[in-house]
Amino acid sequence: MTQDFATRIIAPGSTIGIMGNGQLGRMAALCAAELGYKVHVFGPGANSPTEQVCAKATIADYTDLEALRAFAADVDVVTFEFENVPHDSVKLLSELVPVRPGWKCLHLSQNRLREKTFCNENGIGTAPFAAVRSLTDLEAAVAKLGRPAVLKTTEMGYDGKGQVKITPDTDLADAWAEMNGAEAILEGFIAFEREISVIVARGVKGDTACFCPVENVHTNHILDVTIAPALISAELSQKAEDIATRLVGAMEFVGLLAVEMFVTSDGAVLVNEVAPRPHNSGHWTIDACITSQFEQFIRAVCGLPLGNPAHHSQARMKNLLGHDIDDWQAILAEPDAKLHLYGKAEAKPGRKMGHITWVLPK
């Protein structure tokens, strides 16, 4: 990236290119419009949640080089709501237009092994882990880390996909077969008290702003409820924000980074994984913060001053999966509930169709 690309301010009236066309892009595009920007979205599949609310859409595979070049020529900056884009495609874009966060940040966060190694190299704790590229590796890793543990693909898995729990009864050959030959990582068991996350923005000049830590409750490996702020001490909150801030600085990151963490019974805060984009656990900020995560995302990507992330209310956010959205009338009848639907055509089991945020007195 040229120095001009690294520091260029993207003025209102410009076009933001968003890779990925799901609900995160949709909510980002709505905030971009409020700040006077147009959005051109790139991704496979017609009538996507983002396409419904943006100025222009390119419907193409992420490896379509001709479509990528045409996309780059039509936008002033590129960012992501979906990070699993081939890094060669991102490198191509970065030669043609400012890309924020940069392709090296995406490459790092696309791979659990690279991500955890980077954290440890920068003095940030994680669960113990080992690389697994064969059944022999898996047997050695289990001997070292013990059971229970979790075997995960290093790339592409999310919401519990691409992972197998290793219990005392698990046959390791069967577990390795489930990886289908993909590179994997074995993560040791952590006895944690709660799962939290911190979303931090970093601007083109290195300025940062953190949203308060929130507590996340998962059901079947999918985020169910976020409680904001997390019910933890001020000391633990500061420790979590310091970790997130240290990470974005070490990555030379520009944009919005979500950092998922475990809090252990002895007060340690360990990084679980990161996401270089807006995050499900930050949806509550739309209704309960001075600046939402989506507005902050647009500000950071465009090189604008970062907004105030302080919350003016407490909040509780719940994902609506599948046919949960059929209760929309009852939800709207609740005076403190804010309903957000994503415009997806078909409700499927486990599919994120929308969310509710209950805004509570601070």
Side-chain angles (χ1 to χ4, degrees):
M1 181 187 293
T2 67
Q3 186 62 28
D4 174 55
F5 276 11
T7 59
R8 182 182 297 176
I9 305 301
I10 312 301
S14 302
T15 299
I16 302 168
I18 297 181
M19 300 291 286
N21 52 20
Q23 64 266 18
L24 300 176
R26 178 189 183 94
M27 289 180 272
L30 292 170
C31 277
E34 290 182 350
L35 290 171
Y37 294 95
K38 299 183 286 292
V39 165
H40 182 166
V41 65
F42 188 111
N47 193 34
S48 66
T50 310
E51 183 186 349
Q52 294 168 12
V53 301
C54 69
K56 190 172 181 179
T58 293
I59 301 168
D61 188 84
Y62 295 118
T63 59
D64 187 331
L65 301 184
E66 183 177 347
L68 288 166
R69 290 189 181 96
F71 174 69
D74 190 62
V75 303
D76 299 290
V77 65
V78 169
T79 191
F80 304 84
E81 68 98 58
F82 171 76
E83 65 268 30
N84 289 320
V85 178
H87 79 270
D88 287 340
S89 299
V90 183
K91 284 180 71 175
L92 170 66
L93 290 171
S94 68
E95 294 166 2
L96 303 170
V97 66
V99 174
R100 298 170 181 163
W103 72 267
K104 291 182 180 178
C105 296
L106 285 175
H107 187 244
L108 175 66
S109 61
Q110 285 174 340
N111 183 287
R112 291 186 174 93
L113 189 57
R114 288 195 293 267
E115 184 178 277
K116 283 185 165 53
T117 300
F118 183 85
C119 286
N120 289 178
E121 288 174 347
N122 284 276
I124 295 168
T126 64
F129 64 92
V132 176
R133 299 181 177 90
S134 67
L135 176 56
T136 301
D137 285 350
L138 177 58
E139 290 168 344
V142 170
K144 177 182 177 182
L145 300 180
R147 306 186 191 215
V150 182
L151 181 66
K152 302 178 180 180
T153 56
T154 57
E155 299 185 3
M156 298 300 289
Y158 63 95
D159 288 346
K161 298 177 176 66
Q163 61 179 262
V164 180
K165 187 173 182 181
I166 306 296
T167 69
D169 300 324
T170 301
D171 183 281
L172 296 185
D174 290 344
W176 175 243
E178 289 196 40
M179 296 294 102
N180 293 314
E183 180 187 59
I185 181 173
L186 186 73
E187 298 179 4
F189 178 72
I190 295 293
F192 60 89
E193 283 195 337
R194 51 174 49 89
E195 295 181 61
I196 65 171
S197 58
V198 172
I199 294 172
V200 57
R202 185 173 184 270
V204 295
K205 296 180 180 178
D207 47 320
T208 61
C210 280
F211 292 92
C212 68
V214 299
E215 182 170 346
N216 300 314
V217 180
H218 292 79
T219 302
N220 297 324
H221 303 289
I222 299 174
L223 179 61
D224 183 19
V225 172
T226 292
I227 300 162
L231 302 175
I232 57 177
S233 68
E235 180 184 0
L236 280 175
S237 290
Q238 189 61 57
K239 188 181 296 187
E241 290 185 25
D242 289 346
I243 287 170
T245 302
R246 201 183 332 158
L247 264 179
V248 285
M251 294 170 73
E252 298 182 352
F253 192 95
V254 174
L256 200 70
L257 184 74
V259 186
E260 297 181 51
M261 310 178 203
F262 297 129
V263 177
T264 67
S265 57
D266 60 358
V269 179
L270 305 176
V271 170
N272 179 28
E273 60 185 31
V274 304
R277 50 165 172 78
H279 194 257
N280 196 170
S281 69
H283 292 350
W284 68 280
T285 63
I286 299 171
D287 301 304
C289 289
I290 294 170
T291 305
S292 75
Q293 70 160 340
F294 295 101
E295 180 183 340
Q296 197 77 296
F297 176 52
I298 298 301
R299 284 173 174 256
V301 164
C302 292
L304 308 182
L306 299 180
N308 184 350
H311 57 287
H312 52 72
S313 306
Q314 298 181 69
R316 181 172 173 267
M317 187 282 299
K318 180 175 177 60
N319 274 327
L320 297 174
L321 306 180
H323 287 283
D324 290 348
I325 61 166
D326 294 345
D327 293 330
W328 61 269
Q329 286 180 301
I331 296 165
L332 288 173
E334 296 184 46
D336 296 324
K338 302 289 287 185
L339 177 64
H340 299 263
L341 299 181
Y342 304 152
K344 295 181 180 179
E346 184 181 0
K348 299 178 182 178
R351 191 181 196 192
K352 293 173 183 173
M353 303 297 295
H355 70 268
I356 319 165
T357 299
W358 287 275
V359 181
L360 310 168
K362 190 171 179 180

